[in-house]
Amino acid sequence: MNAKYRILIVEDDDDISMIEQAYLEASGFETFIVSDGDKVLPLLHVENFDLILLDLMLPGKNGYKICKEIRGELNIPILMVTARTESVDKICGLGLGADDYITKPFDPAELVARVNANIRQYSRLKEANQIELDEKGDEILIGNIRVLLHGWKVYKGEQEIRFPNREFELLKFMAENPNIVFSKEQLFEKIWGYDYVGDSATVMVHINRIREKIEDDPKNPKILETVWRAGYRLNR
C-alpha cells in the first residue's frame, strides 16, 4: 500500500483522529480529516477517497445517517469506528452499508490491518470481476431482476437498484450458481477471502440487505432463501 490510497477520517475527537492519521500515514496512506458529520457528503462530491473511517458519534449528522447517504451514491469501503460494543450497534452499521467496524479503544496496528484488508478486498473483487467478464455474458435474469455484469448494475423491472461492491459480488456469485445451498462460511470465504478480518455473521447482514432490494416481500423471500441449518440458496 502507498500514498496513492487516500483515507477520509471522519472523527470529532482530535486525539483519536491524530492517532489514526499518524499510523495510517506512517503506513504510506494519504489522509484527510473531517470532524463535522454535515461536511462529509459535500466533500465526497468533490474529492476522491479509497476508504472512509467513520465514527458514529459526531456533531451534525451521526455516522449511521452518513453511512446510509454514502451508500445511496457511492461505492467505497466504509470502516466504522465506534466506542459502542453492543452487537446491535455493529449489525445496524453493517445493515446500513458499512463494510467493517472496529471498536474503541483499538490497537492502531489492527486499524491499519483492517484498512489494508478492506482496500485489498475491493481491489481484488474488481480485478476478479473483470477477468470473469471476459469469459461470461453480460446479463443474468432472475425473474424481474436483471444483473448487468459489465455495468455492475442491478435492475428490478425498469428501476435501477444501487449495490455496493460486496453486495453485488454476493448476488452475482449466487446468481451464477443458482439452486445450490452455500453455508455462511463458504460465502464468507468466497466473497471476503481467507485473510479478511471479520466473521461469517457479516454474510447474514449482506443477505438481508440484498433481500430488501430484490424481494417483493423481504420477510418471506422467494429468490434468496434461507435453508434451515444449511445456509442460503438463490432460486432461479
Side-chain angles (χ1 to χ4, degrees):
M1 296 291 177
N2 54 53
K4 72 177 180 179
Y5 292 102
R6 304 185 71 213
I7 311 299
L8 176 60
I9 299 171
V10 185
E11 172 64 66
D12 65 326
D13 187 312
D14 291 341
D15 291 336
I16 293 176
S17 63
M18 289 177 66
I19 291 173
E20 293 173 342
Q21 183 177 52
Y23 274 84
L24 288 170
E25 292 193 349
S27 299
F29 294 98
E30 180 182 339
T31 65
F32 190 94
I33 298 173
V34 173
S35 59
D36 187 333
D38 288 327
K39 296 180 179 179
V40 176
L41 207 58
L43 177 63
L44 292 174
H45 288 157
V46 297
E47 294 279 354
N48 293 319
F49 296 94
D50 297 288
L51 181 140
I52 301 172
L53 277 180
L54 181 60
D55 187 37
L56 283 183
M57 299 292 99
L58 295 162
K61 295 175 184 175
N62 64 36
Y64 292 129
K65 188 170 184 179
I66 294 169
C67 184
K68 185 176 181 180
E69 289 179 345
I70 292 171
R71 276 294 169 253
E73 297 187 24
L74 299 171
N75 189 12
I76 182 174
I78 299 174
L79 173 55
M80 279 194 162
V81 184
T82 173
R84 300 186 178 187
T85 58
E86 292 85 351
S87 295
V88 65
D89 295 309
K90 298 172 183 177
I91 291 174
C92 183
L94 292 171
L96 290 171
D99 295 279
D100 199 0
Y101 60 84
I102 188 167
T103 304
K104 303 175 188 174
F106 52 81
D107 180 349
E110 181 186 358
L111 175 68
V112 172
R114 285 178 179 266
V115 168
N116 274 315
N118 277 277
I119 290 179
R120 254 198 327 267
Q121 183 65 15
Y122 262 62
S123 298
R124 185 185 300 124
L125 291 178
K126 288 181 180 179
E127 291 171 2
N129 184 68
Q130 189 55 52
I131 292 171
E132 291 178 7
L133 288 180
D134 292 338
E135 302 173 354
K136 297 180 181 293
D138 179 61
E139 184 175 283
I140 297 177
L141 296 176
I142 314 161
N144 68 336
I145 304 297
R146 290 187 298 139
V147 182
L148 304 185
L149 302 180
H150 283 84
W152 278 54
K153 293 182 178 181
V154 180
Y155 287 86
K156 185 174 184 180
E158 297 302 316
Q159 181 179 1
E160 182 180 354
I161 309 168
R162 184 172 293 276
F163 270 71
N165 270 359
R166 287 200 179 93
E167 287 181 37
F168 183 86
E169 283 292 328
L170 183 55
L171 176 62
K172 181 170 77 72
F173 173 74
M174 298 197 73
E176 290 173 339
N177 298 276
N179 309 315
I180 299 173
V181 178
F182 293 97
S183 68
K184 288 190 297 184
E185 291 74 20
Q186 287 174 320
L187 291 173
F188 183 81
E189 291 170 1
K190 174 64 181 178
I191 305 303
W192 282 264
Y194 289 97
D195 62 343
Y196 185 78
V197 182
D199 60 64
S200 59
T202 304
V203 173
M204 176 191 69
V205 176
H206 282 70
I207 290 287
N208 288 338
R209 286 215 307 253
I210 294 172
R211 284 173 173 164
E212 290 290 336
K213 296 177 180 180
I214 68 172
E215 298 281 358
D216 292 330
D217 182 0
K219 294 183 179 179
N220 295 286
K222 303 299 182 184
I223 299 172
L224 199 50
E225 287 190 318
T226 298
V227 179
W228 181 246
R229 293 185 177 180
Y232 301 101
R233 175 182 61 219
L234 185 140
N235 298 314
R236 181 178 163 200

